Amino acid sequence: MTVAEKKTNPVARFLSILSWLPRYDRTWLRPDIIAGLTLWGLVVPEAMAYAGIAGLPPQAGLYTLLASLLVYALLGTSRHLVVQATSATAALLASSVAAALVATTTDTAASAETYQAYAAAFVLVTGLVFLVAGIAKLGFITQFLSKPVMDGFVMGIALFVAVGQLNKLFGVPKPEGNVVEKLLGIVAALPEANWATFVVGAVAMALLFLLPMWNKKIPAGLVVLFGAIAISAVFDLEGRFGVETVGALPQGLPSLALPVAPLTTLLAMILPAIGVLLVAYSEALGVAHEFAEKHGYEVDANQELNAHAVANLASAFFGGMLAAGSMSASAVKEGAGARSQVTNLVTWGATIVTLLFLTPLFAPLPEAVLAALIIHAVWHILASRKLQKLAHASRVEVWFGVAALAGVVLVDVLEGMIIGLVASLIFVIYKSSRPHIASLGRVPGIPGAYSDLTRHPENSPVPGVLIVRLDSQLYFANALTVRDRVKEMQAAMTPPAHAVIFDANAQDEIDVTSTDVLRGLLKELHEQGIAVYVAHLHEPVLEHGRKTGLIAAIGEEHIFPTVDLAVRSAEKVDAV
């Protein structure tokens, strides 16, 4: 189906599978099936492990797969993206639900039941936030989080998740507090550790790292998962050594249920859900674009919002977790040779088989093994040393990432996310309030050409004429800075300036504040006997200037289509 056909067919525009399935290359089926089974070996243990991060029972992770794998295959526009629970979204879910519980309930007798209900409600609210963003076509919202902030936040999440699993690894009670306090609490509890639990977790973690080094084709997660189950069952690790296990999981498919929570709680969840949208969608779209560029196809950012919305809504009704694009699962899928979303459908089918027939097998699974799976999953984030690499590229921007990381580690996930958002906004304001302002001169050997004198010292300045070019949009936040800089440049000229020319080529619009500032600058220049000219004035700015009197203050005869014509006019007046 062509792009034009998709535009005229709203069903095909929403159900992306209708555009690619009729043109599916049958030679892709075999690699898609193999990749689907490989992916199943990764996402099943990951899903169960991530449920632990979110404070939910292991089956909640499997229910998330049941919803997200199918929905994204039907609606998604990336061939390689895998939408499922992730370590970041699981941590955000846990933090958001805990905050909602503290704010709205004091019920401790039914805390587990209430927690699960609130978790489903938060997933529902997040799905609705995604849906509103998709309807409003807000696919551009990923620009609100800079890469340094995202990298710092994700590294903070990785530390938050890893430290949060150490109690399971040592068999000690889970301490309260931020990441540092939890780490110190676990260290203090080490004399009470169950060392049989630690040996099980340590061996599992060692195998997760070593097996891929021996042979990358080995599904290390699946081998460790079922190996641990077998050893635990044969040697009765729980009964003989006190090793905590997952216990009985419900067998069969989940029933549909509408998440229930007080209206005030649902409204309070909107703000953190918007934060989840920004963080999860930024990472998902980045991964989707990376694979799209590599394999030569396009991703529709707005449709990706719709796909994520429906995936989370379905997960909420199934009692699942937050679903988002997973970097690690997508990389495994692509590395296994996947060509399309048929891979997701194969993994989805294998997940159904798991829920129907295999859940009793997971009862003897040690909790320490799930902890090892989680720590292994986030280790590549810690090992990537992204902030260290950023420090070499920009010593200023790296501190925004450090601020987001510190917020997660020293306070909590939600607070870290807010710090990251605020840091991003501060950075945007900081950059836009200090635009580059160039003083132009004639380019040697090219008649009528002008460029930056600072960057091209070989250029010739025009005697007595200051040619100013603002290389970004003029608006209320930088208008005063631009005015002061132009006055400094004019005062420093030798010989003194008799004319100032503004190259307005970068200006597509102008606000009221900037208009008033420019009118004041014009008055000051005219009082000094300095003529003002404008070149490359775009029509929207010209219309606004006529309505507000700015053009009258400049003079229609001082508006020129090119800088060179403005320079000639200024030189002619000076000669007279």
Side-chain angles (χ1 to χ4, degrees):
M1 187 174 291
T2 64
V3 174
E5 289 173 332
K6 287 180 68 176
K7 289 182 178 179
T8 57
N9 188 339
V11 177
R13 189 167 63 245
F14 189 73
L15 286 173
S16 299
I17 193 171
L18 296 180
S19 66
W20 61 263
L21 190 59
R23 298 180 287 106
Y24 183 75
D25 188 341
R26 293 185 179 180
T27 61
W28 292 359
L29 185 58
R30 185 174 181 275
D32 273 344
I33 291 174
I34 294 173
L37 295 175
T38 304
L39 184 63
W40 172 79
L42 171 74
V43 297
V44 165
E46 271 194 352
M48 297 174 64
Y50 292 155
I53 297 175
L56 294 170
Q59 65 268 21
L62 299 178
Y63 296 163
T64 309
L65 290 177
L66 194 66
S68 61
L69 289 172
L70 176 62
V71 169
Y72 191 79
L74 297 176
L75 276 62
T77 61
S78 170
R79 299 177 192 170
H80 297 89
L81 189 66
V82 177
V83 173
Q84 60 161 38
T86 69
S87 57
T89 57
L92 285 167
L93 178 59
S95 183
S96 301
V97 174
L101 283 169
V102 170
T104 61
T105 183
T106 57
D107 182 14
T108 56
S111 58
E113 181 181 346
T114 305
Y115 185 93
Q116 292 180 39
Y118 274 41
F122 185 71
V123 176
L124 178 68
V125 171
T126 303
L128 292 174
V129 169
F130 266 104
L131 187 61
V132 171
I135 293 172
K137 299 186 182 302
L138 300 181
F140 62 88
I141 58 174
T142 57
Q143 301 170 22
F144 284 98
L145 278 176
S146 67
K147 188 177 186 303
V149 168
M150 272 296 297
D151 287 345
F153 179 76
V154 170
M155 287 193 70
I157 285 285
L159 286 169
F160 176 90
V161 168
V163 172
Q165 298 304 306
L166 291 179
N167 66 297
K168 294 181 182 178
L169 204 62
F170 288 98
V172 297
K174 185 176 182 178
E176 299 297 327
N178 60 33
V179 172
V180 176
E181 291 168 340
K182 286 179 181 177
L183 182 59
L184 294 175
I186 289 169
V187 171
L190 285 181
E192 304 170 14
N194 183 321
W195 294 106
T197 297
F198 175 75
V199 169
V200 170
V203 170
M205 195 178 303
L207 289 173
L208 288 169
F209 282 102
L210 294 175
L211 286 177
M213 295 173 61
W214 180 39
N215 190 333
K216 292 184 178 180
K217 294 183 178 181
I218 296 176
L222 210 59
V223 170
V224 169
L225 183 75
F226 286 108
I229 289 172
I231 292 173
S232 178
V234 170
F235 294 100
D236 188 17
L237 296 182
E238 183 177 26
R240 295 175 61 189
F241 302 100
V243 176
E244 283 196 38
T245 59
V246 169
L249 300 180
Q251 188 172 0
L253 301 179
S255 56
L256 293 175
L258 177 66
V260 177
L263 179 60
T264 53
T265 301
L266 296 175
L267 293 176
M269 288 176 173
I270 294 177
L271 188 59
I274 293 173
V276 172
L277 165 68
L278 291 172
V279 172
Y281 183 63
S282 295
E283 182 176 359
L285 199 62
V287 174
H289 278 309
E290 181 179 340
F291 287 120
E293 291 175 8
K294 182 177 180 179
H295 294 277
Y297 61 88
E298 294 183 2
V299 171
D300 185 338
N302 293 317
Q303 179 57 20
E304 288 298 300
L305 284 171
N306 294 329
H308 278 71
V310 179
N312 279 285
L313 291 173
S315 181
F317 287 119
F318 282 148
M321 303 158 55
L322 290 172
S326 168
M327 183 185 300
S328 58
S330 300
V332 168
K333 175 182 174 179
E334 192 257 356
R339 307 296 179 83
S340 73
Q341 284 297 330
V342 169
T343 294
N344 279 33
L345 294 175
V346 172
T347 308
W348 176 71
T351 303
I352 291 178
V353 172
T354 303
L355 284 166
L356 290 175
F357 305 108
L358 301 182
T359 51
L361 296 177
F362 293 109
L365 176 64
E367 290 277 3
V369 173
L370 287 179
L373 285 165
I374 293 171
I375 295 172
H376 175 261
V378 301
W379 177 254
H380 73 280
I381 298 174
L382 299 173
S384 64
R385 295 181 295 179
K386 290 184 177 182
L387 290 182
Q388 183 178 338
K389 296 174 183 177
L390 278 171
H392 294 291
S394 174
R395 293 184 178 181
V396 175
E397 291 184 71
V398 71
W399 287 107
F400 293 103
V402 171
L405 186 153
V408 176
V409 171
L410 299 178
V411 190
D412 206 342
V413 175
L414 280 177
E415 287 78 1
M417 179 177 61
I418 293 170
I419 290 171
L421 288 172
V422 172
S424 292
L425 291 175
I426 291 174
F427 185 60
V428 169
I429 295 170
Y430 172 81
K431 293 288 287 185
S432 65
S433 65
R434 289 165 173 75
H436 179 258
I437 304 172
S439 176
L440 307 184
R442 287 191 172 102
V443 178
I446 307 178
Y450 298 80
S451 63
D452 191 342
L453 283 166
T454 303
R455 295 175 179 175
H456 300 279
E458 70 276 10
N459 289 1
S460 301
V462 180
V465 179
L466 173 62
I467 309 172
V468 177
R469 185 187 69 204
L470 179 63
D471 290 333
S472 61
Q473 186 70 36
L474 177 70
Y475 76 116
F476 64 88
N478 62 22
L480 292 176
T481 302
V482 171
R483 180 201 65 183
D484 294 342
R485 178 64 181 136
V486 170
K487 290 169 66 176
E488 290 173 5
M489 294 166 73
Q490 175 260 324
M493 283 192 65
T494 304
H498 62 80
V500 174
I501 298 173
F502 291 97
D503 181 354
N505 197 38
Q507 312 307 312
D508 285 322
E509 59 183 359
I510 186 170
D511 57 44
V512 175
T513 302
S514 301
T515 302
D516 290 343
V517 170
L518 287 176
R519 191 183 287 111
L521 177 61
L522 285 170
K523 183 180 179 182
E524 290 186 46
L525 293 174
H526 286 158
E527 288 175 350
Q528 298 176 47
I530 298 173
V532 177
Y533 302 81
V534 179
H536 293 137
L537 195 61
H538 295 182
E539 191 63 30
V541 181
L542 183 62
E543 290 181 7
H544 175 84
R546 284 170 175 159
K547 291 178 182 177
T548 58
L550 182 62
I551 298 302
I554 297 171
E556 292 275 358
E557 71 279 6
H558 283 193
I559 307 297
F560 293 92
T562 67
V563 170
D564 190 51
L565 288 174
V567 170
R568 292 182 186 181
S569 178
E571 290 180 322
K572 187 183 297 184
V573 170
D574 184 54
V576 173

